[in-house]
Amino acid sequence: MGDATEKGGRHPAEGSVEHLGELALVDLISNLCAQSEAGNLDLVGIGDDAAVVAAPDRRVVVSADMAVAGRHFRTDWSDARHIGVRVAAANLADIAAMGAQPTNFLLSLGLPRSTEVSWVLDLVRGVVAETMRAGAVVAGGDVVGAQEIIVAGTALGDLAGRSPVRRSGAVAGDQIAVAGRLGWAAAGLAVLTRGFRSPRALVDAHRQPEPPYQAGVQAGVSGAHAMIDVSDGLLLDAARIARASMVEIDIESALITVAEPIAAAAAAYNLDPLQWILGGGDDHAFLAAFAPDAPLPDGFTRIGQVRAHTSAMSAMADGANPVTGWVTVDGKTPEGSAGYAHFS
Amino acid sequence: MGDATEKGGRHPAEGSVEHLGELALVDLISNLCAQSEAGNLDLVGIGDDAAVVAAPDRRVVVSADMAVAGRHFRTDWSDARHIGVRVAAANLADIAAMGAQPTNFLLSLGLPRSTEVSWVLDLVRGVVAETMRAGAVVAGGDVVGAQEIIVAGTALGDLAGRSPVRRSGAVAGDQIAVAGRLGWAAAGLAVLTRGFRSPRALVDAHRQPEPPYQAGVQAGVSGAHAMIDVSDGLLLDAARIARASMVEIDIESALITVAEPIAAAAAAYNLDPLQWILGGGDDHAFLAAFAPDAPLPDGFTRIGQVRAHTSAMSAMADGANPVTGWVTVDGKTPEGSAGYAHFS
């Protein structure tokens, strides 16, 4: 913990970041992150101008993500540790969605002066825990002052010699399959929005998603044709695969299991549970296209198929709805809003 | 430029990001960044869940940085392009300070709804230009809504089989040398703070630093013992090398050239120019330790030497001043504040 020991009998995690000061805060954060660094000691970790991390494959998979308090998370609905888990999960899932093993995470924090040090350390604990759950280590970052809490992450990953699984590789006839939860986080958000804190399983799913990283990696190992992390909703993310691959994707609603907590919450609010399952993001499930006869890796369930992109559907393409013309449910164009847009 | 062409005769770069919408903004930004991607086309660029970039060395050097409007840059003092250059330079310099060639940059932006699209695109143009100047390409990023403008970057680099140049390798007897400007950005900031816009050379140095990336790389090639990017001031960053290496560093003021614009501005404001040269950051010069008899790479000038860390100096170590006990100027402990601290 270096220089950041107690001053005048007060524990450094008490009080605000302004009181503690930047250098001592960085020491405390670095110490937490160092827990995840075992096994990587031959390389350079936190404390130099940059980290040096292994890239055994001669390529590195990399993705950056930014989350802002009040927009991507709410400090009154989620505790700091859960926020750390969520932000790290969103970023690390992007790596696994390429079929790559997450290897490293970098964390940059913008913090108002009044932020409690203990809150910051809990957030870092969540980031470290989720990074380790993904099989990766925290390799560095930055801490600066800001008006609102900003959490920016960069995740790195390794392909172990495989081709990356892109959005653009789906072909007509492919199976469409999903690994992980659909709609749980959205249902949890609906519960919280209504002022409730239960069903706990849904609220927890919103607070702390559990991307099935290894299923993403295994999809890469088994030669998935295309894959995406479902972060903005099944329909919208399926449309991204369809557009990139110039195909249509049909989801069969009969293949989608409505989990009990979602069914119960939908009944309680008199809503169609498919609204959450088809439109809800933030669970970070993996949606992938596999060859028609390919056995699906553990964790994946078939929910539809890829069809040739017909000129008829093309003609229906609608600028206002990014799903129309690319994704159908039971052969029909889905209605309603289908995803999340920033600035609106 | 894809879908982001003119709508109703209005050019998309007119108006705010809220008016344009996130997807169209990302299209415009991606198009600008793609300019830097030539030569990297065998790998995966912007538009998938993650990018795939080359890491020929089987290791990757990586560093993350965050800059906040009003703290790290001022939109009334610098135009957007300069801000983009500054943020990218600060991040890319961290890579070259390890002796590594910068290879990639990821850019995450937090933007208030009212931000002008043209301003954002100019910032991205600055990021792309500086990234290309460093010999790297923009590989991805994120755009989100925020209350204030936040620019978060992650830079990657390649060591080409060399050992990273860390802060901790300086040994007694080493030459201390610097490549790049010292005090120019600080003098430029002093000029701007006083409400002036000239001398232009100093103001430009503040707005748009020019880290000598290739000198950093060459320091690595020539086996520098230790190196740091001077981002918080010569004394403070020299103290970081000294602490990490458990040595003392003595700067010889006679070896430091006071450039004419700095001398002139210091005379005009009745200040000691050494205050800027020893204490000013943000020029992103490279400060390195080389073996006593080593020829210095192009761009480096000797400004001092490394001494054994004496117990006498150690006893002087002062928690309130991170320089005391580690760095001397002409054999004496420097006085006054020596660097920048966040949250204060």
Side-chain angles (χ1 to χ4, degrees):
Chain A
M1 207 170 284
D3 300 335
T5 43
E6 300 186 29
K7 279 184 196 167
R10 192 177 191 190
H11 191 277
E14 284 174 36
S16 68
V17 298
E18 179 178 26
H19 173 264
L20 182 63
E22 183 202 4
L23 294 178
L25 179 63
V26 168
D27 269 355
L28 288 175
I29 291 174
S30 299
N31 189 54
L32 288 178
C33 294
Q35 294 172 7
S36 75
E37 284 195 333
N40 210 32
L41 295 177
D42 50 333
L43 303 178
V44 177
I46 292 164
D48 234 294
D49 282 27
V52 183
V53 302
D57 177 74
R58 296 179 184 271
R59 297 168 298 173
V60 65
V61 182
V62 59
S63 181
D65 228 8
M66 185 180 276
V68 179
R71 295 165 195 263
H72 302 89
F73 55 85
R74 281 183 55 165
T75 54
D76 52 342
W77 283 355
S78 295
D79 67 29
R81 188 185 166 98
H82 288 155
I83 292 166
V85 167
R86 276 187 70 196
V87 173
N91 211 166
L92 293 159
D94 282 334
I95 302 301
M98 303 297 285
Q101 170 61 49
T103 54
N104 294 96
F105 189 78
L106 285 87
L107 173 67
S108 292
L109 294 173
L111 299 173
R113 292 176 188 192
S114 61
T115 314
E116 289 292 313
V117 172
S118 60
W119 191 94
V120 177
L121 297 182
D122 280 344
L123 181 138
V124 173
R125 286 187 187 100
V127 166
V128 169
E130 187 64 13
T131 299
M132 292 178 77
R133 197 177 77 78
V137 302
V138 178
D142 196 10
V143 180
V144 301
Q147 277 180 44
E148 57 194 329
I149 299 171
I150 314 278
V151 188
T154 302
L156 307 183
D158 180 61
L159 284 162
R162 300 184 298 274
S163 293
V165 185
R166 304 193 57 176
R167 298 180 180 178
S168 53
V171 294
D174 278 355
Q175 309 172 73
I176 289 291
V178 70
R181 290 165 163 180
L182 292 174
W184 286 61
L189 183 62
V191 167
L192 287 164
T193 304
R194 284 165 175 77
F196 297 103
R197 300 262 165 169
S198 66
R200 188 62 187 263
L202 299 179
V203 169
D204 283 352
H206 167 74
R207 288 179 171 153
Q208 189 164 302
E210 296 185 359
Y213 301 109
Q214 286 313 308
V217 175
Q218 287 308 312
V221 170
S222 70
H225 288 172
M227 186 154 54
I228 195 167
D229 152 46
V230 180
S231 52
D232 292 331
L234 178 64
L235 296 181
L236 194 56
D237 286 313
R240 288 176 174 145
I241 286 186
R243 258 200 317 275
S245 303
M246 285 302 290
V247 296
E248 283 168 29
I249 289 175
D250 185 53
I251 306 292
E252 287 182 53
S253 60
L255 295 176
I256 292 178
T257 313
V258 179
E260 191 282 327
I262 291 189
Y269 302 145
N270 199 24
L271 294 171
D272 180 354
L274 274 184
Q275 167 187 324
W276 292 326
I277 293 170
L278 298 177
D282 285 337
D283 288 298
H284 303 293
F286 298 117
L287 181 70
F290 294 92
D293 53 352
L296 299 180
D298 274 356
F300 276 93
T301 306
R302 192 172 80 83
I303 61 164
Q305 48 276 322
V306 177
R307 294 184 175 154
H309 193 266
T310 64
S311 55
M313 286 294 284
S314 178
M316 289 165 56
D318 172 356
N321 185 334
V323 168
T324 306
W326 299 107
V327 177
T328 53
V329 177
D330 302 328
K332 294 193 288 277
T333 298
E335 286 172 11
S337 73
Y340 182 78
H342 303 284
F343 307 124
S344 62
Chain B
M1 207 167 286
D3 301 335
T5 44
E6 300 186 28
K7 278 183 197 169
R10 191 175 192 193
H11 191 278
E14 286 175 33
S16 69
V17 297
E18 180 179 25
H19 173 264
L20 181 63
E22 183 203 4
L23 295 177
L25 179 64
V26 168
D27 270 354
L28 289 173
I29 292 174
S30 299
N31 188 55
L32 289 177
C33 294
Q35 293 171 8
S36 76
E37 285 197 332
N40 211 30
L41 296 178
D42 51 330
L43 302 180
V44 176
I46 292 164
D48 233 294
D49 282 26
V52 184
V53 303
D57 176 74
R58 297 180 184 270
R59 295 168 300 173
V60 65
V61 182
V62 60
S63 180
D65 228 8
M66 186 182 275
V68 178
R71 293 165 194 262
H72 303 89
F73 55 85
R74 281 184 52 164
T75 55
D76 53 341
W77 283 355
S78 297
D79 67 28
R81 188 184 166 97
H82 288 156
I83 293 166
V85 167
R86 276 187 73 197
V87 173
N91 211 167
L92 292 159
D94 281 332
I95 302 300
M98 302 296 286
Q101 168 62 49
T103 54
N104 294 96
F105 190 77
L106 285 87
L107 173 66
S108 293
L109 294 172
L111 300 172
R113 292 177 188 191
S114 60
T115 314
E116 289 292 313
V117 172
S118 59
W119 191 94
V120 177
L121 298 182
D122 280 345
L123 180 138
V124 173
R125 284 186 188 99
V127 167
V128 169
E130 187 64 12
T131 300
M132 292 178 76
R133 196 176 80 75
V137 301
V138 178
D142 196 11
V143 180
V144 301
Q147 277 180 44
E148 57 194 330
I149 298 172
I150 313 279
V151 188
T154 302
L156 308 183
D158 181 60
L159 284 163
R162 299 185 298 275
S163 292
V165 185
R166 304 192 57 175
R167 299 179 180 178
S168 53
V171 294
D174 278 356
Q175 309 172 71
I176 288 292
V178 70
R181 292 165 161 179
L182 291 175
W184 287 60
L189 182 63
V191 168
L192 287 165
T193 304
R194 284 163 173 78
F196 297 103
R197 300 264 166 166
S198 66
R200 186 61 185 264
L202 298 179
V203 170
D204 283 352
H206 167 74
R207 287 177 171 153
Q208 190 163 301
E210 296 185 0
Y213 301 109
Q214 285 313 307
V217 176
Q218 287 309 310
V221 169
S222 69
H225 288 172
M227 186 155 52
I228 194 167
D229 152 46
V230 180
S231 51
D232 293 330
L234 178 64
L235 295 182
L236 194 55
D237 287 313
R240 288 175 174 146
I241 286 185
R243 256 201 318 274
S245 302
M246 285 304 289
V247 296
E248 283 169 29
I249 289 175
D250 185 53
I251 306 292
E252 288 182 51
S253 60
L255 296 176
I256 291 178
T257 315
V258 180
E260 191 282 327
I262 290 189
Y269 303 144
N270 198 24
L271 294 172
D272 179 354
L274 273 185
Q275 165 186 325
W276 292 326
I277 291 170
L278 298 177
D282 284 339
D283 288 298
H284 302 292
F286 297 115
L287 180 71
F290 296 90
D293 53 352
L296 298 179
D298 275 357
F300 276 91
T301 307
R302 191 171 80 84
I303 61 165
Q305 47 277 322
V306 177
R307 293 185 176 151
H309 194 266
T310 63
S311 53
M313 287 295 283
S314 178
M316 291 165 56
D318 172 356
N321 186 335
V323 168
T324 306
W326 299 107
V327 178
T328 53
V329 178
D330 302 328
K332 294 193 287 278
T333 297
E335 285 172 12
S337 73
Y340 182 79
H342 303 283
F343 308 123
S344 62

